Amino acid sequence: MLDKVEEYIEEVKKATANTANELEEYRQKFIGRKNVITDLFSEFKNVPNDMKKEFGLKLNELKTIAQDKFNELIDVAGDQGGAEGDSQIDLTLPPVPNELGSLHPITITQNRIIEIFERLGFSVQDGPEIEDDWHNFTALNFPENHPAREMQDTFFIERNPDQLLRTHTSNVQIRMMEHGKPPFRSIMPGRVYRNEAISARAHCFFHQVEGLYVDRNVSFKDLKQTLYHFSKELFGKDTQIRFRPSYFPFTEPSAEIDISCFICKGKGCKVCKHTGWVEIAGSGMVDPNVLANCGIDPEEYTGFAFGMGIERIAMLKYAIDDLRLFSENDVRFLRQFKGVI
Ligand code: DAH
């Protein structure tokens, strides 16, 4: 029995542990709850009396050096970097960065648009994405046979053809005017859906911001000045703005709004297709039929409205050339907006 103790003392003296596994093996054998030393202690009663003293001293010596060795081995294994023991920890390296998320470019752009209009006294309104024909089309003065009502543009709900995914945010205009009294001065951001093949330039869903201002004596010059101010705030003070006659069922007269291309400063580039101008919004004076459909007297009130695509504005502002990037959630794309607010 004494020989056994001597053997363990030798073993402990020579022990090495280059990996965490070897260290753990050592720990289980000599330190753990049921280890070889405690086994030997329980043999103590069988040791002849005249040997007890010597055996006890040796066993205590084994216990002490086993623990000292263990402390030593922990230090060595720690220096060697733990698990595999082959990677040294370099304490001079910078820490692994803790990655913070970023706002989505659509959110950033939408927030910026809201911020500009809020300073002009516009409130923000929300409305449903699943809409009925009245709010998406009929009340907005879409003639019965207007092509936008056809299946290729609109996602209808199969079980109820009167229900659809809104094709624009103009539905919120109607909901606001039906349920309140003028004056109205709001913008209405949100997601819209169209049955389009997905490509770099088109998607089956995207985002718009609608604007509506209805009061006594609102005129086209208010529309012009509002969008003039907005464009300069968003794209820079040198931005030029032009109104092109257009047609929307819900406005009369209607105009499309172009801004001077802020990338080439009007000289002509790929973004403006060498015209010097890029389109950013549709607009016009609210058609009297629309006001009447919402119970507002068109003799007393007038208003202007506008609508713009948020993706379109974000693409211009951040020089993004593929609409699909906005919905693919690729962190390599999203990461680039870190810190932008
Ligand atoms: N609803 C139009 C669209 O989806 C955008 C628009 C144009 C909204 C003119 C308006 C407006 O309020 O006056 O293309």
Side-chain angles (χ1 to χ4, degrees), residues 167-168 170 173 194 208 210-211 248 250-251 282-284 305-307:
T167 57
H168 52 185
S170 305
Q173 281 191 27
R194 290 193 195 170
Q208 289 187 334
E210 186 81 12
F248 298 102
F250 35 88
T251 45
S283 69
F306 57 87

Coordinates of all heavy atoms in Angstrom, one line a residue, residues 167-168 170 173 194 208 210-211 248 250-251 282-284 305-307, ligand 1:
T167 N -53.3 49.3 -53.5 CA -52.3 49.5 -54.5 C -51.6 50.9 -54.3 O -50.6 51.1 -55.0 CB -53.0 49.6 -55.9 OG1 -54.0 50.6 -55.9 CG2 -53.6 48.2 -56.2
H168 N -52.1 51.7 -53.4 CA -51.4 53.0 -53.1 C -51.9 53.4 -51.7 O -52.8 52.8 -51.1 CB -51.7 54.0 -54.1 CG -53.2 54.2 -54.5 ND1 -53.6 55.1 -55.4 CD2 -54.3 53.7 -53.9 CE1 -54.9 55.0 -55.5 NE2 -55.3 54.2 -54.6
S170 N -53.2 56.2 -51.1 CA -54.3 57.2 -51.3 C -55.6 56.8 -50.5 O -56.4 57.6 -50.3 CB -54.6 57.5 -52.7 OG -53.4 57.8 -53.4
Q173 N -56.3 58.9 -47.4 CA -56.9 60.2 -47.7 C -58.4 60.0 -47.4 O -59.0 60.8 -46.7 CB -56.8 60.6 -49.1 CG -55.5 61.1 -49.6 CD -55.8 61.7 -51.0 OE1 -56.9 62.1 -51.4 NE2 -54.7 61.7 -51.8
R194 N -48.6 45.6 -55.5 CA -49.0 45.5 -56.9 C -48.6 44.2 -57.5 O -47.5 43.7 -57.2 CB -48.5 46.7 -57.7 CG -49.1 48.0 -57.3 CD -48.9 49.1 -58.2 NE -49.3 50.4 -57.5 CZ -49.0 51.6 -57.9 NH1 -48.4 51.7 -59.1 NH2 -49.4 52.6 -57.2
Q208 N -45.0 53.9 -49.9 CA -45.3 55.2 -50.4 C -45.5 56.2 -49.2 O -45.8 55.7 -48.1 CB -46.6 55.2 -51.2 CG -46.5 54.5 -52.6 CD -47.7 54.7 -53.4 OE1 -48.8 54.9 -52.8 NE2 -47.6 54.6 -54.7
E210 N -48.1 59.3 -48.7 CA -49.2 60.1 -49.3 C -49.2 61.5 -48.6 O -48.9 61.5 -47.4 CB -50.5 59.4 -49.1 CG -51.7 59.9 -49.7 CD -51.8 59.6 -51.2 OE1 -51.0 58.7 -51.6 OE2 -52.6 60.2 -51.9
G211 N -49.6 62.5 -49.2 CA -49.8 63.8 -48.5 C -51.1 64.4 -48.8 O -51.6 64.2 -50.0
F248 N -54.2 61.9 -62.9 CA -54.6 60.9 -61.9 C -56.1 61.1 -61.7 O -56.5 62.3 -61.8 CB -53.9 61.2 -60.5 CG -52.4 61.1 -60.6 CD1 -51.6 62.2 -60.7 CD2 -51.7 59.8 -60.6 CE1 -50.2 62.1 -60.7 CE2 -50.4 59.7 -60.7 CZ -49.6 60.9 -60.8
F250 N -57.9 61.1 -59.2 CA -58.3 61.8 -57.9 C -57.8 63.2 -57.8 O -58.0 63.8 -56.8 CB -57.8 60.9 -56.7 CG -56.5 60.2 -56.9 CD1 -55.3 60.9 -56.6 CD2 -56.4 59.0 -57.5 CE1 -54.1 60.3 -56.8 CE2 -55.2 58.3 -57.7 CZ -54.1 59.0 -57.4
T251 N -57.1 63.7 -58.8 CA -56.6 65.1 -58.8 C -56.9 65.8 -60.1 O -56.9 65.2 -61.2 CB -55.1 65.2 -58.4 OG1 -54.4 64.2 -59.2 CG2 -54.8 65.0 -57.0
G282 N -46.1 62.1 -57.6 CA -47.2 62.6 -58.3 C -48.0 63.5 -57.4 O -47.9 63.4 -56.2
S283 N -48.8 64.4 -58.0 CA -49.5 65.4 -57.2 C -50.6 66.0 -57.9 O -50.8 65.8 -59.1 CB -48.5 66.5 -56.7 OG -48.2 67.3 -57.9
G284 N -51.4 66.9 -57.2 CA -52.4 67.6 -57.9 C -53.4 68.2 -56.9 O -53.3 68.0 -55.7
A305 N -52.9 67.2 -53.0 CA -52.5 65.8 -52.5 C -51.2 65.5 -53.3 O -50.9 66.0 -54.4 CB -53.5 64.8 -52.8
F306 N -50.4 64.6 -52.7 CA -49.3 64.1 -53.5 C -48.9 62.7 -53.0 O -49.4 62.3 -51.9 CB -48.0 65.0 -53.3 CG -47.7 65.3 -51.8 CD1 -46.8 64.4 -51.2 CD2 -48.2 66.3 -51.1 CE1 -46.4 64.6 -49.9 CE2 -47.8 66.5 -49.8 CZ -46.9 65.7 -49.2
G307 N -48.2 62.0 -53.8 CA -47.8 60.6 -53.4 C -46.4 60.3 -53.9 O -46.1 60.7 -55.1
Ligands
DAH1 N1 -51.5 57.2 -55.8 C1 -50.6 57.5 -56.8 C2 -49.8 56.3 -57.2 O1 -49.8 55.3 -56.5 C3 -49.6 58.6 -56.3 C4 -50.3 59.9 -56.2 C5 -50.3 60.8 -57.2 C6 -50.9 60.2 -55.0 C7 -50.9 62.0 -57.1 C8 -51.5 61.5 -54.9 C9 -51.5 62.3 -56.0 O2 -52.1 61.8 -53.8 O3 -52.1 63.5 -55.9 O4 -49.1 56.3 -58.2

